Amino acid sequence: MIDRLKDWLLAIAGGVLLALMIEYNSLLAKHTTPYIASWVAHGMGAIVALTLVFLTMMLLSRKQIKSNVRNTSKLPLWFYLGGIPGAFTVVLAAIAINGSLSLSEAIALMLVGQVIFGMISDHFGLFLVLKRRIVLKDFLVVTCVLAGSAMIIFGR
């Protein structure tokens, strides 16, 4: 029960953090360009990630770290290009928010993209996930997300 509550709280905190990050990134893009804003956002993210890695290394013993690290030597090189779609998402969010779309509309469209990409990844077994067939339930999920996104976008 507590683990589920923790998951919900982390999901809500992540959503709030995403909304704040996009809001401030868009403000920076308004005063510069979306590309500079994207570089700044990813640079700050890299600094925070490196700080967290170093803090983790200082707090955990080498045995604990080695037991949690997978063998990454067998991963395809294209796995390391995962940040490129994230960079495009940041740029497109900054462009969308400074355009005619609002923050909620931009997030709704990103959510649709994530759901569809997740279904494609599951179907083809991308990123070492187990392959699975796309079933009717998946289309119902996409339909609900699309309908909710359409209500946000066109319900002004």
Side-chain angles (χ1 to χ4, degrees):
M1 178 69 181
I2 292 180
D3 286 339
R4 260 192 109 123
L5 179 64
K6 195 182 336 178
D7 289 343
W8 276 96
L9 291 175
L10 284 172
I12 290 170
V16 169
L17 184 62
L18 175 65
L20 288 173
M21 287 171 43
I22 290 176
E23 180 69 29
Y24 288 122
N25 188 310
S26 300
L27 182 63
L28 180 61
K30 183 178 181 181
H31 295 289
T32 59
T33 67
Y35 300 105
I36 291 174
S38 178
W39 277 104
V40 169
H42 283 85
M44 291 178 68
I47 291 169
V48 169
L50 287 172
T51 304
L52 290 174
V53 166
F54 287 127
L55 286 174
T56 303
M57 289 173 61
M58 288 182 352
L59 295 175
L60 298 177
S61 69
R62 288 183 189 239
K63 274 186 180 180
Q64 289 173 320
I65 292 173
K66 285 183 181 180
S67 68
N68 290 331
V69 174
R70 286 192 215 165
N71 184 6
T72 58
S73 62
K74 296 180 182 180
L75 294 177
L77 290 176
W78 63 273
F79 272 35
Y80 296 98
L81 299 176
I84 292 173
F88 282 124
T89 301
V90 171
V91 169
L92 291 175
I95 291 170
I97 289 174
N98 290 319
S100 62
L101 291 178
S102 68
L103 177 61
S104 59
E105 293 168 344
I107 291 175
L109 291 176
M110 288 181 224
L111 180 63
V112 169
Q114 287 177 338
V115 169
I116 292 172
F117 181 76
M119 285 176 50
I120 292 169
S121 296
D122 287 348
H123 180 71
F124 291 108
L126 300 177
F127 304 107
L128 302 179
V129 300
L130 294 174
K131 285 185 180 181
R132 72 175 190 85
R133 292 176 5 126
I134 297 175
V135 295
L136 181 62
K137 182 180 175 184
D138 295 327
F139 287 110
L140 291 174
V141 168
V142 170
T143 303
C144 289
V145 172
L146 281 172
S149 298
M151 289 184 344
I152 290 172
I153 292 171
F154 298 117
R156 295 183 198 197

